């Protein structure tokens, strides 16, 4: 049986690629990914056939990976972060589901052995950079309305606000979409203080990484681009400063035990 590894390569720092992901890539003859992800992985991708499809070609990427594996080539489909979070893994299984319903055109996909290998997500990398922002209940919301209606996204933001979750926003802005993050800010301000700490992490763990900690009422689309992830604390999240070092943590409720 042929093999397809569906791999999360982490946020960008090669030291954060898991040994299991690295071993799987080394075992492959063919790698399918957006080219930047292969560049970030470095030498482990040497001597492999690279199949680089641009952003926006996600369906083509998933089909190609399944086709290569079905043809007998040990293949890796690679995304940054965790490939199961707003990434390619779900598309692979959606295609398999279609094939099982007779709506796809390659029955050989069903003979492919698939292994999903998780990676460190951007929200985890960002939270670690500033301390322990995800220390209590949290959720993620993608602000991209390309595949999900804005009415659904807005409902989820309200739910996150009323539930007092720490919220990590993926896809907060693109070239054609710049108003959603400001709307999300205004919704959350209905549920938590203006002083709530916000992490703005751009190109997390990569060479040009930048990190800022601001207040919720200071959050604005002008300070964000498509390479940015935004995490908003809950009503209990704390921003502490020790000299030149800043931290954000979200307490779990140990305060009474610490007294």
């Amino acid at each position: 049986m042929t093999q397809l590894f569906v791999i999360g390569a982490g946020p960008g720092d090669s030291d954060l690629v898991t040994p299991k992901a690295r071993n799987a890539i080394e075992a492959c003859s063919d790698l399918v990914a957006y080219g930047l992800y292969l560049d970030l992985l470095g030498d482990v991708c040497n001597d492999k056939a690279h199949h680089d499809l641009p952003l926006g070609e996600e369906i083509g990427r998933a089909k190609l990976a399944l086709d290569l594996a079905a043809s007998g080539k040990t293949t890796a489909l690679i995304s940054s972060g965790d490939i199961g979070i707003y990434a390619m893994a779900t598309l692979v299984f959606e295609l398999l589901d279609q094939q099982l319903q007779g709506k796809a055109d390659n029955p050989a996909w069903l003979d492919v052995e698939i292994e999903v290998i998780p990676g460190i997500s951007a929200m985890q990398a960002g939270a670690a950079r500033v301390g322990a922002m995800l220390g209590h209940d949290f959720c993620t919301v993608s602000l991209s309305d390309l595949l999900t209606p804005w009415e659904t996204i807005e409902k989820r933001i309200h739910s996150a606000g009323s539930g007092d979750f720490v919220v990590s926003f993926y896809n907060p802005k693109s070239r054609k979409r710049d108003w959603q993050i400001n709307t999300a800010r205004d919704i959350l301000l209905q549920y938590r203080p203006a002083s709530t700490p916000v992490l703005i992490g751009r190109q997390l763990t990569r060479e040009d990484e930048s990190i800022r900690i601001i207040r919720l009422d200071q959050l604005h689309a002008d300070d964000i681009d498509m390479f940015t992830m935004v995490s908003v604390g809950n009503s209990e999240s704390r921003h502490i400063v020790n000299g030149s070092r800043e931290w954000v943590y979200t307490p779990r409720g140990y305060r009474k035990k610490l007294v």
Side-chain angles (χ1 to χ4, degrees):
M1 184 172 287
T2 55
Q3 180 80 51
L4 173 61
F5 294 104
V6 181
I7 298 174
D13 185 341
S14 60
D15 288 340
L16 296 180
V17 180
T18 67
K20 188 167 187 176
R22 191 174 296 277
N23 290 340
I25 292 169
E26 289 175 347
C28 290
S29 62
D30 290 72
L31 310 178
V32 181
Y34 173 50
L36 173 63
Y37 304 152
L38 300 179
D39 294 340
L40 290 169
L41 283 165
D43 293 346
V44 71
C45 297
N46 289 348
D47 303 319
K48 313 289 182 184
H50 291 196
H51 305 271
D52 174 6
L53 277 71
L55 293 176
E57 296 291 334
E58 285 75 21
I59 294 175
R61 227 179 289 151
K63 286 183 173 180
L64 175 58
L66 284 164
D67 286 343
L68 288 167
S71 72
K73 296 178 179 178
T74 302
T75 303
L77 176 63
I78 301 170
S79 287
S80 64
D82 184 305
I83 199 163
I85 300 176
Y86 304 121
M88 296 294 298
T90 185
L91 187 48
V92 168
F93 292 106
E94 189 166 356
L95 288 169
L96 290 178
D97 191 10
Q98 286 195 333
Q99 183 62 57
L100 286 166
Q101 297 176 56
K103 298 177 182 179
D105 55 3
N106 194 340
W109 289 351
L110 301 179
D111 295 324
V112 174
E113 182 71 26
I114 297 173
E115 181 177 357
V116 180
I117 299 176
I120 295 171
S121 69
M123 68 175 177
Q124 291 173 290
R129 280 288 196 252
V130 297
M133 196 166 189
L134 304 180
H136 209 329
D137 296 334
F138 63 89
C139 67
T140 66
V141 177
S142 171
L143 294 184
S144 173
D145 57 358
L146 291 175
L147 301 174
T148 303
W150 175 252
E151 293 76 14
T152 300
I153 297 170
E154 189 172 32
K155 181 179 179 180
R156 290 171 179 171
I157 299 169
H158 276 286
S159 296
S162 63
D164 202 24
F165 288 92
V166 176
V167 188
S168 292
F169 289 113
Y170 282 71
N171 307 308
K173 183 179 177 180
S174 70
R175 293 185 183 94
K176 298 180 180 179
R177 180 176 44 79
D178 62 1
W179 56 269
Q180 284 92 337
I181 189 64
N182 289 348
T183 302
R185 172 203 64 207
D186 293 341
I187 292 172
L188 290 181
L189 281 170
Q190 299 174 34
Y191 300 98
R192 60 196 63 176
S195 60
T196 300
V198 176
L199 161 67
I200 298 179
R202 185 178 187 278
Q203 297 282 40
L204 285 162
T205 79
R206 302 177 187 179
E207 288 185 2
D208 53 347
E209 175 188 83
S210 65
I211 290 176
R212 295 175 57 209
I213 301 169
I214 62 172
R215 293 164 48 107
L216 179 56
D217 61 355
Q218 296 172 324
L219 178 60
H220 197 280
D222 289 349
D223 300 320
I224 291 165
D225 64 15
M226 61 192 300
F227 301 105
T228 306
M229 195 210 64
V230 177
S231 289
V232 181
N234 70 11
S235 63
E236 298 292 326
S237 295
R238 297 271 295 154
H239 177 201
I240 59 176
V241 179
N242 180 20
S244 62
R245 193 68 174 96
E246 298 180 83
W247 303 98
V248 177
Y249 76 98
T250 302
R252 287 191 62 199
Y254 289 112
R255 190 168 298 155
K256 293 180 181 179
K257 294 180 179 292
L258 295 173
V259 175

